[in-house]
Amino acid sequence: MVVAERKPIEEILAMVADYRKILLVGCKGCVTVCCAGGTKEVGILASALRIARKKEGKPLEVVEHTLERQCDPEYIEQLAPMLEGDGIEAVVSMACSVGPQYIAKRYVIPVYPALNTTFIGGSLEHGVWAEYCQACGNCIIHHFGGLCPISRCSKSLMNGPCGGSANGKCEVSPEIDCVWHLIYDRMKELGQLDKLRQVFPARDWSTSRDGGPRKIVREDLKL
């Protein structure tokens, strides 16, 4: 899932400093799962903004709404009744960065992001998430026992480990496990250590973000 975290309240207050009425929009997708932008988080942020602005003597009216998703145009369309003639001066999106971009594309109104989109990852324990994928566009984890050296190695080494790892820990980030240590243990467990003799050439990053904004077209799904 896409993992995000809320911006500091001071930063969001600065964004809406000139407005008297805003629409705060949450998302029931990934950011709900990582407790950053669901219905509950919308309520918490709305209350915090109202209280802070009341203390400043500049009351702020916050309209709360949570969409099923903010990464699909049909759901963005549901905001139309609220944004047409309701006096709302700006929109604050509590979704990954796709959400505010979709809202800005559809409506002629200032749109602000309340979250920082961080990575594609998974849950380690309650309240803890870690990066597992950089969305490079060409998955090769089957060569490494199902583990990704691109996202989970601090140096994105394809032929590791480097010379700095020690006791199974990364030299760049000693608090995390060296993924190449994990890969070795995994391949040994699978009886496939011989596969680690394969030398991978310099990676072709044309499928990654380096080639510009990417797009997938499924002709079988198009209407």
Side-chain angles (χ1 to χ4, degrees), residues 37-112:
T39 303
K40 177 182 176 181
E41 289 73 36
V42 167
I44 292 172
L45 178 56
S47 296
L49 292 174
R50 293 188 191 105
I51 292 170
R53 284 287 293 269
K54 187 175 181 180
K55 289 175 64 177
E56 294 175 3
K58 298 171 56 181
L60 176 67
E61 183 177 351
V62 183
V63 178
E64 303 174 35
H65 189 76
T66 303
L67 295 173
E68 194 67 30
R69 288 192 296 277
Q70 289 192 35
C71 55
D72 284 318
E74 56 264 38
Y75 293 112
I76 299 299
E77 197 65 33
Q78 295 174 9
L79 300 178
M82 287 172 275
L83 295 177
E84 295 173 358
D86 197 25
I88 291 173
E89 302 170 292
V91 177
V92 176
S93 169
M94 296 192 74
C96 73
S97 62
V98 175
Q101 292 187 68
Y102 264 38
I103 296 173
K105 180 180 179 180
R106 170 62 178 83
Y107 303 102
V108 184
I109 191 171
V111 181
Y112 300 92

Side-chain angles (χ1 to χ4, degrees), residues 153 155 157 159-165 171-172 178 180:
C153 171
K155 301 176 182 178
L157 295 180
N159 300 283
C162 70
S165 60
E171 74 164 338
V172 176
C178 169
W180 276 101

Side-chain angles (χ1 to χ4, degrees), residues 15-22 53 58-60 89-90 110 112:
M15 292 176 180
V16 301
D18 297 329
Y19 304 113
R20 292 173 295 179
K21 185 176 183 178
I22 65 170
R53 284 287 293 269
K58 298 171 56 181
L60 176 67
E89 302 170 292
Y112 300 92

Side-chain angles (χ1 to χ4, degrees), residues 98-156:
V98 175
Q101 292 187 68
Y102 264 38
I103 296 173
K105 180 180 179 180
R106 170 62 178 83
Y107 303 102
V108 184
I109 191 171
V111 181
Y112 300 92
L115 305 184
N116 291 324
T117 306
T118 51
F119 51 75
I120 300 174
S123 174
L124 298 183
E125 58 182 272
H126 188 68
V128 180
W129 295 271
E131 183 173 18
Y132 278 78
C133 176
Q134 286 188 11
C136 71
N138 183 15
C139 190
I140 55 170
I141 63 173
H142 55 292
H143 291 296
F144 307 104
L147 304 175
C148 178
I150 296 172
S151 63
R152 300 180 64 184
C153 171
S154 298
K155 301 176 182 178
S156 295

